[in-house]
Amino acid sequence: QKEVEQNSGPLSVPEGAIASLNCTYSDRGSQSFFWYRQYSGKSPELIMFIYSNGDKEDGRFTAQLNKASQYVSLLIRDSQPSDSATYLCAVKGRYSSASKIIFGSGTRLSIRP
Amino acid sequence: DTAVSQTPKYLVTQMGNDKSIKCEQNLGHDTMYWYKQDSKKFLKIMFSYNNKELIINETVPNRFSPKSPDKAHLNLHINSLELGDSAVYFCASSLGTGLSGANVLTFGAGSRLTVL
């Protein structure tokens, strides 16, 4: 079982709709969860992070965390063509003395006009 | 000013050669990392240093040797390059290792290594 799993996509969503990206993780002791966006040929950039169960909103983005189900998701409201990118879920493991941040393989999102 | 800068951006070399990638951050962060992103875009951690001390060393061949002369610099030297080493290597830094926000990674632009 992979440590962090994502559906590779591509996920195709019409412009203006809600895009829903999902991620599961295997280490029940994981502490922090991150969503990064990576455009083709560019480096990953942080969208948001979450560490408490529930929802966290930032503009058009909402991260949702359910530690009991070992599940974290990212919702993008009012999707724009500029949101087309690969979205990487990342998880900080249980080791408090070292930032072992593990990435999923990413979900390719395509917003169609 | 670039926050995390890597050089060179592109490297094309023959099998068996030795090459180095340099990384510098001006964010005042304590922790630096090397990640490898393969052709399938999977981003895998290789090494992490906290204040010049090696804290993460994944199962990376010992042909790869990181060096951190100070907390703002983390270099990667690769000996006897192999075809499978072709990838994009990303340097990253974070404020620290404790609180959640401290673990946010800032990435460099990446160094694309092609081994022929």
Side-chain angles (χ1 to χ4, degrees):
Chain A
Q1 182 189 6
K2 286 184 189 171
E3 292 175 275
V4 181
E5 293 212 52
Q6 296 181 254
N7 187 322
S8 61
L11 175 65
S12 181
V13 171
E15 186 175 353
I18 296 175
S20 177
L21 303 157
N22 304 316
C23 172
T24 57
Y25 58 94
S26 60
D27 182 355
R28 190 168 282 279
S30 296
Q31 301 169 342
S32 309
F33 308 86
F34 307 83
W35 283 101
Y36 287 82
R37 176 176 61 201
Q38 187 175 24
Y39 292 112
S40 182
K42 301 292 184 185
S43 56
E45 53 183 355
L46 180 77
I47 297 174
M48 60 196 308
F49 67 88
I50 186 169
Y51 54 86
S52 299
N53 273 330
D55 294 1
K56 180 181 178 184
E57 188 174 318
D58 184 0
R60 295 186 297 113
F61 299 95
T62 299
Q64 299 175 316
L65 174 62
N66 183 327
K67 288 187 179 179
S69 302
Q70 294 174 239
Y71 175 91
V72 58
S73 64
L74 180 71
L75 301 178
I76 307 175
R77 287 182 299 283
D78 187 24
S79 296
Q80 303 296 309
S82 60
D83 294 327
S84 298
T86 296
Y87 288 79
L88 301 167
C89 172
V91 176
K92 179 180 183 295
R94 69 176 68 217
Y95 303 103
S96 60
S97 62
S99 277
K100 188 172 178 181
I101 300 170
I102 301 164
F103 283 80
S105 55
T107 298
R108 265 199 308 133
L109 175 66
S110 175
I111 307 299
R112 54 182 193 271
Chain B
D1 264 353
T2 306
V4 181
S5 58
Q6 297 179 228
T7 53
K9 196 167 168 59
Y10 299 98
L11 269 167
V12 181
T13 189
Q14 300 287 333
M15 264 176 34
N17 283 350
D18 303 339
K19 287 293 176 190
S20 292
I21 307 172
K22 295 187 175 184
C23 179
E24 175 182 2
Q25 55 95 3
N26 62 5
L27 296 166
H29 286 172
D30 285 340
T31 310
M32 295 185 73
Y33 311 76
W34 280 111
Y35 278 86
K36 177 182 180 182
Q37 190 168 46
D38 60 24
S39 55
K40 294 183 180 172
K41 306 301 182 190
F42 182 56
L43 201 58
K44 185 169 165 47
I45 190 166
M46 300 173 69
F47 302 103
S48 177
Y49 275 74
N50 182 256
N51 261 322
K52 302 193 298 176
E53 181 190 344
L54 180 66
I55 55 171
I56 295 173
N57 184 349
E58 287 295 279
T59 48
V60 177
N62 55 17
R63 299 183 294 105
F64 290 78
S65 49
K67 277 198 173 55
S68 182
D70 56 60
K71 75 173 195 177
H73 295 84
L74 179 60
N75 304 323
L76 183 65
H77 187 76
I78 317 171
N79 289 327
S80 304
L81 279 156
E82 300 177 357
L83 293 176
D85 298 332
S86 295
V88 180
Y89 292 84
F90 284 102
C91 177
S93 70
S94 68
L95 190 60
T97 61
L99 301 172
S100 299
N103 296 299
V104 169
L105 298 174
T106 301
F107 284 88
S111 297
R112 180 176 293 276
L113 172 65
T114 303
V115 182
L116 304 174

